[in-house]
Amino acid sequence: MLKIIHRLEENIIALLLVGMTLLVFVETILRFGFGMGLMWSEELTLHLSAWMVLFGASYGLRVGAHIGVDFLVKKFSEETQRIIGLIMVAAALVYCILFMYGAWEYLGKIYKVGIELNDMSIKKWQAHSILLVGFLLIGIRLIEIGIRMWRYEQTMISMHDEAKEVLELQKEAVGGLK
Amino acid sequence: EPITVKFSHVVAENTPKGLMANKFRDLVAADPALKDKVVVEVFPNSQLFDDDKVMDAMLLGDVQIAAPSLSKFQKYNPQLLIYDLPFLFKDIAAVDRFQQSEDGQTLLTSMKDKGYIGLGYLHNGMKQLSANKPLKTPEDAKGLKFRIQTSDVLAAQFEAVGGVPVKKPFSEVFTLMQTKAIDGSENPWSNIYSKKFHEVQSDITESDHGVLDYMVITSSEFWDGLDEDVRTALKKDMDEAVTYGNEMSVKKADEDKQAIIDSKRSTVYTLTAEERQKWVDAMKPVWDKFKDTIGADLIDKALKANEG
Amino acid sequence: MTIAFLFILLFALIFFGMPIAISLGLASITTILLFSHDSLGSIALKFFESQSGHYTLLAIPFFILSSAFLSTGGVARRLIDFAIAAIGHVRGGLAMASVLACMLFAAVSGSSPATVAAIGAIVITGMVRAGYPMAFGAGVITTAGTLGILIPPSIVMLVYSAATEVSAAKMFEAGFIPGIMMGLLLMVAIYIVARVKKLPAQPFPGFRTLLVTGGRALGGMMLIFIVLGAIYGGVASPTEAAAVAAVYAFLIAVYGYRDIGPLKGKPWVSEGESTSAAIMRNLLYFPRAMVMSVGDQEVRKVIMDAAKVSIMLLFIIGNAMLFAHVLTTERIPHHIAETIVGWGLPAWGFLIIVNLLLLAAGNFMEPSAILLIMAPILFPIAVKLGIDPIHLGIIMTVNMEIGMLTPPVGLNLFVTAGITGKSMGWVIKASLPWTLLLLGFLLLITYVPQISLWLPEYLNELRGFAPGS
Ligand code: NA
Ligand code: NA
């Protein structure tokens, strides 16, 4: 079950990224090849990008994509690291809750005004609702991380190492290094 | 503690709008009626919000005054499309007469149910056509890609002459013109000059075919929440600042036009009466499409302003 | 008071391991809550604006996606083969060829760590096998990899233009000559070291090999022409060029080189196959490859890796813009600018301060975040002092390059440590002499603005309309 949800999550993100790339590609080709303009493409692309980032930020937490600085924390004992980690999770949850409150306040205002986006007939509050959804998802992931820390399964929020990441990609391509 | 009024706009401080905003700030600071009661802070250059988001920020109470271009308001009140109609006003004086008329003033307060109150109109100026080839008759515009602001009227206007309206952010227009990704645009003299469009467009046609003006707005929640005397004093200072801004704007339009001609980077063409009529004939049918939305009588009243 | 709170909270969070993006956002939002009358709603609004209001920034995910396809494909290896065939026969030639390969890869990729990884993983072991000291190879590549953000396209330049409204295309034009200069500078330094230390040279493989390797590398190098040609030649905006680049990189990796995806291992011409049969087969492959890529595991993994990095970067950028927004609403850049202008510094003195500030920040933070926080502060002062915004942008970019080489947070250091399996300390020592060279280069760039400004001005003249015409 969890696997299906994860798979779905990844598919949505991939779809958003590929969609926005193809949209700009097609728009560019249309303009140069056929002298045509798509009035709504800029706004749609920008919103696809915003949705990818806000929807994907929590996915980033799951796969440890958000870079952080760990050289200081790593100097502490494992137990201290865990406590610091739990405090950081709590602080990050505060961030999430404040953001969700702000998003609620903001969406409420534009819901009341009821206007549409500039170039597409979509209600603005609907297009921007990913703010609330995105931070809610981040909050859920943070709670998961907190539980793992509580159970001694993880010590830092950002377990990510961008360097290692690029290398892994590379190793697959080059076929391993000594 | 004095009330802080944040005035957020998207252009440089030396433009008519920038000068007007700073003038308002200085007038309020020097106003004995507002001493220790109100402080105005000006944030130029989109430092705080762009024109889209500033409308929302005003509802949230984080910005008190802004001055987006009139095209931005058609989402809130479609009647304001009237200012985008091509060849409706013959010159900026006619625009001014309509704006100061009862109907013009009514439009200012027409968005109250959405939470906004207009405090005045600020001129940017009459729009000119520019392209990388001479535009003498509507046929010359056929197939050319024109950058427009979001507006159904403006899109229809270029489609009416066989052009392709393209929506691109203002900040990218220079590059897109330079790279010939777009062929032309419509802008007042001051925008052409300050953004150096005349350096990347070979020809400018003095068409005066439309107007690009701003509305100075505030949120009704903020405005109605002010003490009566403060509100009156602020409105007085605002009127004075707007008058000053409009003077600057008219003066600057002339100066910038001359500077563009003197630069010789671009050829400025003046239409003959005959050529101009062809443009009018080609573009005026656009009015019919929007007659119901705007109101035929309002259009008639706007036309009357040409006579004054 | 506000500013102290903001920065102390920010650094406390970062050093205790909070992801940089959340550190920036949380510091901003608490500052607003404690010291300002602004609503939380406006924070949410501003965050959405940061994600949906900057067309230029869209180029970032596109360039990352194209980079991802190029890194997994054999583009890097083919570029290296060509570079070695071209200059491997000079003394120290293999190291120089590695720099050349970094330059070529930099011209198709917008990121520095990606450049180090793509080129370094192959050439460092190659250099060791050819008899170079490992520290030498590692140092050269770690430094040459920073060209990824100086030679256009460049993610850092895109962020700079989003923060300052300076044209991204202009920045891309300006970075070209400094990028080539720095590459040549590295090669000259290598040559001198090679003579002193008697480093080996490769035998010259002959012009035939040069042509063949050049031809093989062309598929990758075409991207240079597509991206830079489109932007310099005046055909497309950086965002559009980036989207085209991403689609092209996919095609070249999946269909052209067939290093990944459904056609992997399928040759263009099978043994004993007639030409017409090969043409037919390859024509039919095309729709098949396009359809089958949708479900292909390798293609999917490249897309997800690109999405991961894009989300991470854009999420940092959004939160950094929030941070910059808090600085602005509290008028902090305004006050700092007034103070610095009040000192009556000349432009050259101000530029020293700019460099020191950026170098210090570069020790700890990610380049996009630094740019978004510092640009609003430094930009207005620079304009007042008559410094060209494009020149300032190149100065900031070179500073960010150095920041990738300085501990404790230096992305290129991390990558090289990973490639070589050595400690951070070892990598830092290995790249130190080259970092010093880069510092000298920074001085040159800072005080000779023409290096950065000549090409954009020249191109402008070329495109401009002759006066009086
Ligand atoms: Na690059
Ligand atoms: Na660093």
Side-chain angles (χ1 to χ4, degrees), chain B residues 6 42-43 48-50 53 57 60 62 168 172 175 178-179 199-202 264, chain C residues 38-39 41-42 45-46 49 55 167 169-170 234 240 325 328-329 331 460 463 465 468:
Chain B
K6 288 186 176 168
V42 178
F43 295 87
L48 279 192
F49 295 100
D50 63 26
K53 302 290 189 293
L60 289 162
D62 296 311
K168 287 285 161 191
E172 286 216 1
T175 316
Q178 190 178 41
T179 61
E199 295 185 4
V200 287
Q201 297 264 274
S202 61
K264 296 192 172 149
Chain C
D38 280 5
S39 66
S42 78
L45 162 65
K46 191 69 199 174
E49 184 192 77
Y55 193 68
S167 146
K170 280 262 166 309
E240 294 165 341
H325 177 72
T328 314
T329 47
R331 306 217 141 229
N460 227 9
R463 294 190 203 109
F465 305 94

mmCIF file of all heavy atoms in Angstrom, chain B residues 6 42-43 48-50 53 57 60 62 168 172 175 178-179 199-202 264, chain C residues 38-39 41-42 45-46 49 55 167 169-170 234 240 325 328-329 331 460 463 465 468:
data_model
loop_
_atom_site.group_PDB
_atom_site.id
_atom_site.type_symbol
_atom_site.label_atom_id
_atom_site.label_comp_id
_atom_site.label_asym_id
_atom_site.label_seq_id
_atom_site.Cartn_x
_atom_site.Cartn_y
_atom_site.Cartn_z
ATOM 1 N N LYS B 6 2.363 51.546 3.623
ATOM 2 C CA LYS B 6 3.338 51.027 2.666
ATOM 3 C C LYS B 6 2.812 51.219 1.247
ATOM 4 O O LYS B 6 1.750 50.732 0.905
ATOM 5 C CB LYS B 6 3.612 49.551 2.918
ATOM 6 C CG LYS B 6 4.433 49.323 4.168
ATOM 7 C CD LYS B 6 4.807 47.868 4.330
ATOM 8 C CE LYS B 6 5.713 47.707 5.543
ATOM 9 N NZ LYS B 6 5.885 46.301 5.904
ATOM 10 N N VAL B 42 7.855 54.099 0.915
ATOM 11 C CA VAL B 42 7.730 53.728 -0.492
ATOM 12 C C VAL B 42 8.690 52.583 -0.811
ATOM 13 O O VAL B 42 9.862 52.626 -0.444
ATOM 14 C CB VAL B 42 8.032 54.935 -1.406
ATOM 15 C CG1 VAL B 42 7.936 54.522 -2.876
ATOM 16 C CG2 VAL B 42 7.072 56.074 -1.111
ATOM 17 N N PHE B 43 8.173 51.548 -1.467
ATOM 18 C CA PHE B 43 9.010 50.425 -1.911
ATOM 19 C C PHE B 43 8.947 50.329 -3.432
ATOM 20 O O PHE B 43 7.979 49.818 -3.986
ATOM 21 C CB PHE B 43 8.520 49.113 -1.291
ATOM 22 C CG PHE B 43 8.662 49.065 0.202
ATOM 23 C CD1 PHE B 43 7.657 49.576 1.027
ATOM 24 C CD2 PHE B 43 9.792 48.524 0.791
ATOM 25 C CE1 PHE B 43 7.786 49.538 2.405
ATOM 26 C CE2 PHE B 43 9.922 48.470 2.169
ATOM 27 C CZ PHE B 43 8.918 48.982 2.976
ATOM 28 N N LEU B 48 8.770 44.780 -2.899
ATOM 29 C CA LEU B 48 7.861 44.012 -2.032
ATOM 30 C C LEU B 48 7.068 42.977 -2.822
ATOM 31 O O LEU B 48 7.164 41.796 -2.540
ATOM 32 C CB LEU B 48 6.900 44.956 -1.318
ATOM 33 C CG LEU B 48 7.423 45.677 -0.078
ATOM 34 C CD1 LEU B 48 6.275 46.324 0.660
ATOM 35 C CD2 LEU B 48 8.170 44.739 0.842
ATOM 36 N N PHE B 49 6.273 43.423 -3.781
ATOM 37 C CA PHE B 49 5.422 42.487 -4.537
ATOM 38 C C PHE B 49 5.327 42.946 -5.986
ATOM 39 O O PHE B 49 5.475 44.128 -6.270
ATOM 40 C CB PHE B 49 4.003 42.447 -3.950
ATOM 41 C CG PHE B 49 3.934 41.888 -2.558
ATOM 42 C CD1 PHE B 49 3.840 42.727 -1.469
ATOM 43 C CD2 PHE B 49 3.970 40.514 -2.349
ATOM 44 C CE1 PHE B 49 3.781 42.212 -0.179
ATOM 45 C CE2 PHE B 49 3.908 39.995 -1.072
ATOM 46 C CZ PHE B 49 3.810 40.838 0.022
ATOM 47 N N ASP B 50 5.057 41.986 -6.875
ATOM 48 C CA ASP B 50 4.758 42.386 -8.244
ATOM 49 C C ASP B 50 3.294 42.834 -8.324
ATOM 50 O O ASP B 50 2.549 42.751 -7.354
ATOM 51 C CB ASP B 50 5.072 41.260 -9.240
ATOM 52 C CG ASP B 50 4.214 40.019 -9.023
ATOM 53 O OD1 ASP B 50 3.096 40.151 -8.488
ATOM 54 O OD2 ASP B 50 4.658 38.922 -9.386
ATOM 55 N N LYS B 53 0.537 40.179 -7.254
ATOM 56 C CA LYS B 53 0.426 39.779 -5.859
ATOM 57 C C LYS B 53 0.131 40.960 -4.935
ATOM 58 O O LYS B 53 -0.367 40.774 -3.843
ATOM 59 C CB LYS B 53 1.706 39.079 -5.407
ATOM 60 C CG LYS B 53 2.060 37.844 -6.231
ATOM 61 C CD LYS B 53 1.088 36.708 -5.974
ATOM 62 C CE LYS B 53 1.522 35.405 -6.613
ATOM 63 N NZ LYS B 53 1.500 35.416 -8.084
ATOM 64 N N ALA B 57 -1.839 41.222 -1.386
ATOM 65 C CA ALA B 57 -1.161 41.728 -0.190
ATOM 66 C C ALA B 57 -1.957 42.874 0.429
ATOM 67 O O ALA B 57 -1.969 43.055 1.643
ATOM 68 C CB ALA B 57 0.251 42.192 -0.547
ATOM 69 N N LEU B 60 -4.626 41.525 2.556
ATOM 70 C CA LEU B 60 -4.086 40.991 3.811
ATOM 71 C C LEU B 60 -3.631 42.105 4.744
ATOM 72 O O LEU B 60 -3.249 41.853 5.877
ATOM 73 C CB LEU B 60 -2.915 40.053 3.506
ATOM 74 C CG LEU B 60 -3.295 38.715 2.861
ATOM 75 C CD1 LEU B 60 -2.084 38.069 2.211
ATOM 76 C CD2 LEU B 60 -3.902 37.786 3.891
ATOM 77 N N ASP B 62 -0.959 44.089 4.266
ATOM 78 C CA ASP B 62 0.490 44.240 4.348
ATOM 79 C C ASP B 62 1.015 45.332 3.427
ATOM 80 O O ASP B 62 2.158 45.752 3.543
ATOM 81 C CB ASP B 62 1.168 42.913 4.027
ATOM 82 C CG ASP B 62 0.810 41.871 5.065
ATOM 83 O OD1 ASP B 62 0.926 42.184 6.255
ATOM 84 O OD2 ASP B 62 0.370 40.780 4.692
ATOM 85 N N LYS B 168 4.297 37.974 -22.525
ATOM 86 C CA LYS B 168 5.612 37.741 -21.924
ATOM 87 C C LYS B 168 5.806 38.746 -20.812
ATOM 88 O O LYS B 168 5.307 39.863 -20.896
ATOM 89 C CB LYS B 168 6.714 37.910 -22.973
ATOM 90 C CG LYS B 168 6.787 36.767 -23.970
ATOM 91 C CD LYS B 168 7.402 35.532 -23.335
ATOM 92 C CE LYS B 168 7.074 34.285 -24.117
ATOM 93 N NZ LYS B 168 7.414 33.060 -23.412
ATOM 94 N N GLU B 172 11.237 40.620 -19.577
ATOM 95 C CA GLU B 172 11.905 39.854 -20.630
ATOM 96 C C GLU B 172 11.752 40.493 -22.007
ATOM 97 O O GLU B 172 12.319 40.003 -22.977
ATOM 98 C CB GLU B 172 11.338 38.431 -20.686
ATOM 99 C CG GLU B 172 11.798 37.574 -19.553
ATOM 100 C CD GLU B 172 12.022 36.120 -19.991
ATOM 101 O OE1 GLU B 172 11.834 35.824 -21.185
ATOM 102 O OE2 GLU B 172 12.388 35.323 -19.138
ATOM 103 N N THR B 175 14.986 41.536 -24.051
ATOM 104 C CA THR B 175 15.722 40.398 -24.600
ATOM 105 C C THR B 175 14.971 39.780 -25.765
ATOM 106 O O THR B 175 15.564 39.444 -26.788
ATOM 107 C CB THR B 175 15.921 39.321 -23.523
ATOM 108 O OG1 THR B 175 16.316 39.976 -22.331
ATOM 109 C CG2 THR B 175 16.979 38.330 -23.928
ATOM 110 N N GLN B 178 15.278 41.938 -28.727
ATOM 111 C CA GLN B 178 16.636 41.879 -29.231
ATOM 112 C C GLN B 178 16.852 40.581 -29.996
ATOM 113 O O GLN B 178 17.480 40.557 -31.044
ATOM 114 C CB GLN B 178 17.598 41.969 -28.048
ATOM 115 C CG GLN B 178 19.025 42.160 -28.440
ATOM 116 C CD GLN B 178 19.897 42.281 -27.210
ATOM 117 O OE1 GLN B 178 19.725 41.568 -26.233
ATOM 118 N NE2 GLN B 178 20.834 43.198 -27.258
ATOM 119 N N THR B 179 16.309 39.493 -29.455
ATOM 120 C CA THR B 179 16.503 38.202 -30.079
ATOM 121 C C THR B 179 15.474 37.944 -31.171
ATOM 122 O O THR B 179 15.441 36.861 -31.723
ATOM 123 C CB THR B 179 16.395 37.084 -29.040
ATOM 124 O OG1 THR B 179 15.091 37.117 -28.475
ATOM 125 C CG2 THR B 179 17.412 37.252 -27.940
ATOM 126 N N GLU B 199 16.223 50.836 -28.832
ATOM 127 C CA GLU B 199 17.519 50.333 -29.294
ATOM 128 C C GLU B 199 17.396 48.963 -29.953
ATOM 129 O O GLU B 199 18.309 48.514 -30.618
ATOM 130 C CB GLU B 199 18.508 50.274 -28.121
ATOM 131 C CG GLU B 199 18.824 51.654 -27.577
ATOM 132 C CD GLU B 199 19.897 51.621 -26.496
ATOM 133 O OE1 GLU B 199 20.439 50.531 -26.235
ATOM 134 O OE2 GLU B 199 20.164 52.687 -25.931
ATOM 135 N N VAL B 200 16.285 48.281 -29.688
ATOM 136 C CA VAL B 200 16.122 46.940 -30.267
ATOM 137 C C VAL B 200 14.913 46.843 -31.198
ATOM 138 O O VAL B 200 14.562 45.756 -31.643
ATOM 139 C CB VAL B 200 16.013 45.865 -29.163
ATOM 140 C CG1 VAL B 200 17.376 45.659 -28.518
ATOM 141 C CG2 VAL B 200 14.997 46.241 -28.113
ATOM 142 N N GLN B 201 14.291 47.983 -31.475
ATOM 143 C CA GLN B 201 13.201 47.998 -32.447
ATOM 144 C C GLN B 201 13.579 49.033 -33.493
ATOM 145 O O GLN B 201 13.927 50.158 -33.161
ATOM 146 C CB GLN B 201 11.884 48.419 -31.776
ATOM 147 C CG GLN B 201 11.423 47.451 -30.701
ATOM 148 C CD GLN B 201 10.423 46.439 -31.212
ATOM 149 O OE1 GLN B 201 9.244 46.663 -31.252
ATOM 150 N NE2 GLN B 201 10.929 45.292 -31.629
ATOM 151 N N SER B 202 13.499 48.650 -34.765
ATOM 152 C CA SER B 202 13.970 49.585 -35.781
ATOM 153 C C SER B 202 12.983 50.715 -36.041
ATOM 154 O O SER B 202 13.376 51.790 -36.449
ATOM 155 C CB SER B 202 14.258 48.829 -37.085
ATOM 156 O OG SER B 202 13.065 48.233 -37.549
ATOM 157 N N LYS B 264 18.387 58.423 -32.787
ATOM 158 C CA LYS B 264 18.484 57.852 -34.136
ATOM 159 C C LYS B 264 18.652 56.337 -34.132
ATOM 160 O O LYS B 264 19.092 55.757 -35.116
ATOM 161 C CB LYS B 264 19.625 58.514 -34.916
ATOM 162 C CG LYS B 264 19.351 59.982 -35.138
ATOM 163 C CD LYS B 264 20.304 60.580 -36.139
ATOM 164 C CE LYS B 264 19.877 62.006 -36.489
ATOM 165 N NZ LYS B 264 21.007 62.868 -36.831
ATOM 166 N N ASP C 38 3.394 42.609 9.708
ATOM 167 C CA ASP C 38 2.935 41.865 8.543
ATOM 168 C C ASP C 38 2.212 40.585 8.951
ATOM 169 O O ASP C 38 2.489 40.003 9.995
ATOM 170 C CB ASP C 38 4.110 41.516 7.631
ATOM 171 C CG ASP C 38 4.502 42.701 6.777
ATOM 172 O OD1 ASP C 38 3.922 43.776 6.983
ATOM 173 O OD2 ASP C 38 5.384 42.559 5.923
ATOM 174 N N SER C 39 1.295 40.144 8.111
ATOM 175 C CA SER C 39 0.520 38.948 8.417
ATOM 176 C C SER C 39 1.249 37.705 7.927
ATOM 177 O O SER C 39 2.122 37.771 7.072
ATOM 178 C CB SER C 39 -0.834 39.031 7.719
ATOM 179 O OG SER C 39 -0.634 38.994 6.325
ATOM 180 N N GLY C 41 -0.271 35.567 6.314
ATOM 181 C CA GLY C 41 -0.830 35.414 4.971
ATOM 182 C C GLY C 41 0.100 35.972 3.907
ATOM 183 O O GLY C 41 0.262 35.388 2.838
ATOM 184 N N SER C 42 0.735 37.108 4.211
ATOM 185 C CA SER C 42 1.603 37.715 3.207
ATOM 186 C C SER C 42 2.856 36.878 3.001
ATOM 187 O O SER C 42 3.472 36.913 1.935
ATOM 188 C CB SER C 42 1.975 39.143 3.597
ATOM 189 O OG SER C 42 2.983 39.150 4.569
ATOM 190 N N LEU C 45 1.726 34.240 0.645
ATOM 191 C CA LEU C 45 1.595 34.888 -0.655
ATOM 192 C C LEU C 45 2.954 35.093 -1.301
ATOM 193 O O LEU C 45 3.160 34.793 -2.480
ATOM 194 C CB LEU C 45 0.878 36.227 -0.450
ATOM 195 C CG LEU C 45 0.969 37.294 -1.522
ATOM 196 C CD1 LEU C 45 0.297 36.825 -2.792
ATOM 197 C CD2 LEU C 45 0.321 38.580 -1.029
ATOM 198 N N LYS C 46 3.901 35.606 -0.514
ATOM 199 C CA LYS C 46 5.236 35.880 -1.049
ATOM 200 C C LYS C 46 5.913 34.582 -1.487
ATOM 201 O O LYS C 46 6.602 34.543 -2.501
ATOM 202 C CB LYS C 46 6.086 36.572 0.019
ATOM 203 C CG LYS C 46 7.393 37.127 -0.492
ATOM 204 C CD LYS C 46 7.179 38.309 -1.408
ATOM 205 C CE LYS C 46 8.420 38.559 -2.255
ATOM 206 N NZ LYS C 46 8.199 39.614 -3.255
ATOM 207 N N GLU C 49 4.547 33.606 -4.728
ATOM 208 C CA GLU C 49 5.101 34.482 -5.773
ATOM 209 C C GLU C 49 6.506 34.027 -6.169
ATOM 210 O O GLU C 49 6.862 34.008 -7.339
ATOM 211 C CB GLU C 49 5.141 35.939 -5.300
ATOM 212 C CG GLU C 49 5.620 36.895 -6.382
ATOM 213 C CD GLU C 49 5.947 38.289 -5.864
ATOM 214 O OE1 GLU C 49 7.026 38.463 -5.257
ATOM 215 O OE2 GLU C 49 5.142 39.193 -6.043
ATOM 216 N N TYR C 55 9.815 33.848 -14.391
ATOM 217 C CA TYR C 55 9.948 33.027 -15.586
ATOM 218 C C TYR C 55 11.401 32.583 -15.786
ATOM 219 O O TYR C 55 11.658 31.466 -16.221
ATOM 220 C CB TYR C 55 9.445 33.824 -16.791
ATOM 221 C CG TYR C 55 9.229 33.010 -18.030
ATOM 222 C CD1 TYR C 55 8.213 32.067 -18.080
ATOM 223 C CD2 TYR C 55 10.038 33.180 -19.147
ATOM 224 C CE1 TYR C 55 8.003 31.309 -19.215
ATOM 225 C CE2 TYR C 55 9.834 32.430 -20.291
ATOM 226 C CZ TYR C 55 8.815 31.498 -20.317
ATOM 227 O OH TYR C 55 8.618 30.749 -21.443
ATOM 228 N N SER C 167 19.232 41.163 -17.109
ATOM 229 C CA SER C 167 18.875 40.138 -18.107
ATOM 230 C C SER C 167 19.766 38.900 -17.991
ATOM 231 O O SER C 167 20.992 39.005 -17.951
ATOM 232 C CB SER C 167 18.982 40.735 -19.503
ATOM 233 O OG SER C 167 19.403 39.767 -20.424
ATOM 234 N N ALA C 169 20.180 36.635 -20.225
ATOM 235 C CA ALA C 169 20.919 36.454 -21.470
ATOM 236 C C ALA C 169 22.205 37.270 -21.449
ATOM 237 O O ALA C 169 23.267 36.810 -21.865
ATOM 238 C CB ALA C 169 20.049 36.861 -22.655
ATOM 239 N N LYS C 170 22.109 38.499 -20.922
ATOM 240 C CA LYS C 170 23.297 39.358 -20.818
ATOM 241 C C LYS C 170 24.347 38.717 -19.901
ATOM 242 O O LYS C 170 25.537 38.763 -20.172
ATOM 243 C CB LYS C 170 22.906 40.726 -20.254
ATOM 244 C CG LYS C 170 22.298 41.646 -21.278
ATOM 245 C CD LYS C 170 23.358 42.597 -21.817
ATOM 246 C CE LYS C 170 22.911 43.314 -23.067
ATOM 247 N NZ LYS C 170 22.395 42.474 -24.129
ATOM 248 N N GLY C 234 20.558 35.324 -30.655
ATOM 249 C CA GLY C 234 19.314 36.047 -30.597
ATOM 250 C C GLY C 234 18.141 35.270 -31.145
ATOM 251 O O GLY C 234 17.412 35.726 -32.001
ATOM 252 N N GLU C 240 13.693 29.329 -22.633
ATOM 253 C CA GLU C 240 13.300 28.551 -23.801
ATOM 254 C C GLU C 240 14.452 27.674 -24.273
ATOM 255 O O GLU C 240 14.264 26.491 -24.586
ATOM 256 C CB GLU C 240 12.852 29.493 -24.922
ATOM 257 C CG GLU C 240 11.595 30.247 -24.559
ATOM 258 C CD GLU C 240 11.325 31.431 -25.462
ATOM 259 O OE1 GLU C 240 12.269 31.906 -26.142
ATOM 260 O OE2 GLU C 240 10.180 31.895 -25.494
ATOM 261 N N HIS C 325 12.768 39.074 1.441
ATOM 262 C CA HIS C 325 11.554 39.878 1.604
ATOM 263 C C HIS C 325 11.493 40.473 3.013
ATOM 264 O O HIS C 325 11.145 41.638 3.191
ATOM 265 C CB HIS C 325 10.330 39.006 1.336
ATOM 266 C CG HIS C 325 9.021 39.699 1.534
ATOM 267 N ND1 HIS C 325 8.557 40.663 0.660
ATOM 268 C CD2 HIS C 325 8.081 39.580 2.494
ATOM 269 C CE1 HIS C 325 7.391 41.109 1.086
ATOM 270 N NE2 HIS C 325 7.070 40.464 2.192
ATOM 271 N N THR C 328 13.813 43.272 3.255
ATOM 272 C CA THR C 328 13.294 44.463 2.579
ATOM 273 C C THR C 328 12.208 45.146 3.382
ATOM 274 O O THR C 328 12.238 46.364 3.541
ATOM 275 C CB THR C 328 12.717 44.102 1.195
ATOM 276 O OG1 THR C 328 13.643 43.254 0.538
ATOM 277 C CG2 THR C 328 12.496 45.335 0.368
ATOM 278 N N THR C 329 11.236 44.369 3.889
ATOM 279 C CA THR C 329 10.154 45.025 4.633
ATOM 280 C C THR C 329 10.713 45.715 5.871
ATOM 281 O O THR C 329 10.188 46.729 6.299
ATOM 282 C CB THR C 329 9.057 44.051 5.110
ATOM 283 O OG1 THR C 329 9.681 42.930 5.707
ATOM 284 C CG2 THR C 329 8.189 43.603 3.965
ATOM 285 N N ARG C 331 13.486 47.122 5.873
ATOM 286 C CA ARG C 331 14.374 48.147 5.302
ATOM 287 C C ARG C 331 15.831 47.932 5.658
ATOM 288 O O ARG C 331 16.609 48.878 5.771
ATOM 289 C CB ARG C 331 13.950 49.550 5.749
ATOM 290 C CG ARG C 331 12.518 49.860 5.458
ATOM 291 C CD ARG C 331 12.374 51.314 5.059
ATOM 292 N NE ARG C 331 11.400 51.415 3.988
ATOM 293 C CZ ARG C 331 11.608 52.087 2.861
ATOM 294 N NH1 ARG C 331 12.729 52.699 2.658
ATOM 295 N NH2 ARG C 331 10.692 52.137 1.941
ATOM 296 N N ASN C 460 26.047 43.596 -28.513
ATOM 297 C CA ASN C 460 25.025 44.625 -28.585
ATOM 298 C C ASN C 460 25.228 45.493 -29.819
ATOM 299 O O ASN C 460 24.292 45.832 -30.519
ATOM 300 C CB ASN C 460 25.114 45.494 -27.334
ATOM 301 C CG ASN C 460 23.761 45.705 -26.730
ATOM 302 O OD1 ASN C 460 22.797 45.063 -27.157
ATOM 303 N ND2 ASN C 460 23.676 46.577 -25.769
ATOM 304 N N ARG C 463 24.284 43.651 -32.964
ATOM 305 C CA ARG C 463 22.850 43.551 -33.190
ATOM 306 C C ARG C 463 22.197 44.908 -33.381
ATOM 307 O O ARG C 463 21.139 45.014 -33.946
ATOM 308 C CB ARG C 463 22.176 42.893 -31.983
ATOM 309 C CG ARG C 463 22.557 41.480 -31.787
ATOM 310 C CD ARG C 463 21.633 40.903 -30.724
ATOM 311 N NE ARG C 463 22.258 39.757 -30.113
ATOM 312 C CZ ARG C 463 22.725 39.733 -28.898
ATOM 313 N NH1 ARG C 463 22.624 40.803 -28.138
ATOM 314 N NH2 ARG C 463 23.274 38.666 -28.416
ATOM 315 N N PHE C 465 21.213 48.812 -34.278
ATOM 316 C CA PHE C 465 21.004 49.439 -35.556
ATOM 317 C C PHE C 465 22.012 50.552 -35.702
ATOM 318 O O PHE C 465 22.195 51.339 -34.788
ATOM 319 C CB PHE C 465 19.580 49.965 -35.641
ATOM 320 C CG PHE C 465 18.573 48.892 -35.369
ATOM 321 C CD1 PHE C 465 18.061 48.718 -34.090
ATOM 322 C CD2 PHE C 465 18.175 48.043 -36.372
ATOM 323 C CE1 PHE C 465 17.154 47.717 -33.832
ATOM 324 C CE2 PHE C 465 17.270 47.049 -36.123
ATOM 325 C CZ PHE C 465 16.758 46.875 -34.855
ATOM 326 N N GLY C 468 21.604 56.475 -37.334
ATOM 327 C CA GLY C 468 21.213 57.210 -38.528
ATOM 328 C C GLY C 468 20.550 56.363 -39.594
ATOM 329 O O GLY C 468 20.097 56.871 -40.601
#
